[in-house]
Amino acid sequence: MEIKSAEFVISNSSVGKCPSTHAPEYAFIGRSNVGKSSLINMLTNNKKLAKTSATPGKTLLINHFLINNEWYLVDLPGYGYAKISKKEQEKLQQIISSYILHREQMTNLFVLVDSRHEPQKIDMEFIEWLGESGIPFSIVFTKADKSKPTKLKANIDAYLKALKEQWEELPPYFITSSENKTGRTELLNYIESINKSL
């Protein structure tokens, strides 16, 4: 898939205010500081599309971007960000879960996982919740350029092994780097194949 256009449409804090179209939506979520904005900008070939920030946890809203006038890329708030109040955390949790559980247009959720680390409890619990809720999702390992190949493979293998304890069949997964565009073609082709099957 070639991305010819990517435009920001709307930011909001409620699933009820999301665009009222039937276009498929592909949402991206992950722990704060997982490199979500960089990944979105790399996929769309637009360094200024999603706001990258030195302070993690900046995405506090549901952001819709229209791609090729055909489908939406949705930037969801990160989970597990400790530096906001409990009340704000609960509000974010509500925004995230209401979108994931009730947005009919959401075709696939991409869960971003930092490939530099071993399996994190918060990621595993989130993935387990998706499974229990019957949500279609894929895993995107980010920052692949930040580790030596052997360490990268060991971390990803550890994640897959941990997932196999919960799942009979592993979800699709992608290994990406926003720096050198690793995984860009695979991810976009995957979205395109889903679009064609709809």
Side-chain angles (χ1 to χ4, degrees):
M1 180 199 293
E2 193 188 332
I3 292 196
K4 299 183 182 87
S5 65
E7 55 188 285
F8 170 74
V9 179
I10 191 171
S11 283
N12 65 72
S13 59
S14 153
V15 71
K17 294 176 189 159
C18 289
S20 56
T21 72
H22 297 293
E25 297 183 1
Y26 295 86
F28 287 73
I29 194 167
R31 257 177 328 122
S32 299
N33 204 22
V34 74
K36 182 160 51 76
S37 301
S38 301
L39 180 83
I40 289 169
N41 293 344
M42 179 269 276
L43 288 175
T44 56
N45 254 339
N46 182 341
K47 287 197 168 117
K48 297 194 173 90
L49 196 68
K51 305 236 179 325
T52 52
S53 138
T55 18
K58 270 284 185 253
T59 310
L60 302 174
L61 298 164
I62 302 167
N63 296 304
H64 275 74
F65 302 95
L66 182 61
I67 311 296
N68 291 349
N69 290 317
E70 285 170 4
W71 55 277
Y72 286 98
L73 187 158
V74 182
D75 183 6
L76 292 174
Y79 55 82
Y81 186 54
K83 286 191 180 169
I84 54 174
S85 69
K86 189 142 179 58
K87 195 177 171 190
E88 273 189 302
Q89 276 181 21
E90 282 166 9
K91 190 177 150 199
L92 270 185
Q93 195 56 52
Q94 177 58 37
I95 292 170
I96 293 167
S97 58
S98 67
Y99 175 86
I100 291 172
L101 297 175
H102 305 300
R103 183 68 172 162
E104 284 174 21
Q105 291 88 332
M106 191 191 77
T107 308
N108 191 68
L109 180 69
F110 290 101
V111 181
L112 277 55
V113 168
D114 191 331
S115 67
R116 296 174 300 175
H117 306 300
E118 289 179 0
Q120 304 285 307
K121 184 169 178 265
I122 188 165
D123 291 328
M124 299 306 289
E125 284 173 354
F126 183 73
I127 289 167
E128 195 173 343
W129 173 73
L130 293 176
E132 287 165 0
S133 309
I135 304 297
F137 74 96
S138 316
I139 295 172
V140 179
F141 292 101
T142 62
K143 306 187 182 187
D145 58 295
K146 303 279 188 267
S147 307
K148 289 197 167 81
T150 45
K151 176 74 175 141
L152 176 70
K153 187 180 181 311
N155 285 349
I156 290 171
D157 285 351
Y159 253 102
L160 299 178
K161 185 168 180 266
L163 286 168
K164 276 180 186 152
E165 290 167 15
Q166 294 175 353
W167 302 80
E168 282 174 31
E169 199 181 325
L170 286 175
Y173 67 93
F174 302 88
I175 298 165
T176 68
S177 156
S178 300
E179 288 291 314
N180 53 31
K181 301 199 170 179
T182 304
R184 181 175 187 270
T185 306
E186 291 81 353
L187 251 172
L188 292 176
N189 286 349
Y190 180 65
I191 292 173
E192 187 174 37
S193 70
I194 296 176
N195 282 341
K196 281 179 176 164
S197 71
L198 294 175

